[in-house]
Amino acid sequence: MINIGIIGTGFGGKIHLPGFKKIKGVKVLALAGKDLEKTKKLAREHRVPFAFKNWKELSKHPEIDAISIATPPY
């Protein structure tokens, strides 16, 4: 099992999250977004165990194997 963390709840929540959930052997373990309440809500809706307020917290989680960065480039 590969545990994924997604940074970004806009495009990440609409595109990356559903896409990763369709891949056998992949689990979306955590989300990170600038609006923690929105991030927690999205995590609950999609049964994602962890929600963080920023990418630094997500990147420190010991079970994360890979991170998908779904944020604007600026």
Side-chain angles (χ1 to χ4, degrees):
M1 180 69 64
I2 297 173
N3 292 319
I4 301 287
I6 299 174
I7 300 169
T9 56
F11 189 78
K14 291 177 186 150
I15 305 300
H16 290 218
L17 178 56
F20 282 123
K21 287 179 74 173
K22 291 181 180 183
I23 302 172
K24 188 176 182 175
V26 170
K27 178 180 181 181
V28 178
L29 188 67
L31 301 175
K34 61 184 175 183
D35 180 339
L36 185 56
E37 291 308 311
K38 176 183 174 183
T39 305
K40 286 180 178 180
K41 182 179 182 221
L42 185 64
R44 280 191 306 272
E45 289 171 357
H46 291 274
R47 297 182 181 164
V48 174
F50 299 99
F52 297 103
K53 64 181 177 181
N54 62 53
W55 66 270
K56 291 177 185 179
E57 291 180 355
L58 183 147
S59 69
K60 291 178 184 177
H61 192 287
E63 295 177 53
I64 298 290
D65 298 311
I67 296 174
S68 173
I69 302 172
T71 62
Y74 46 85

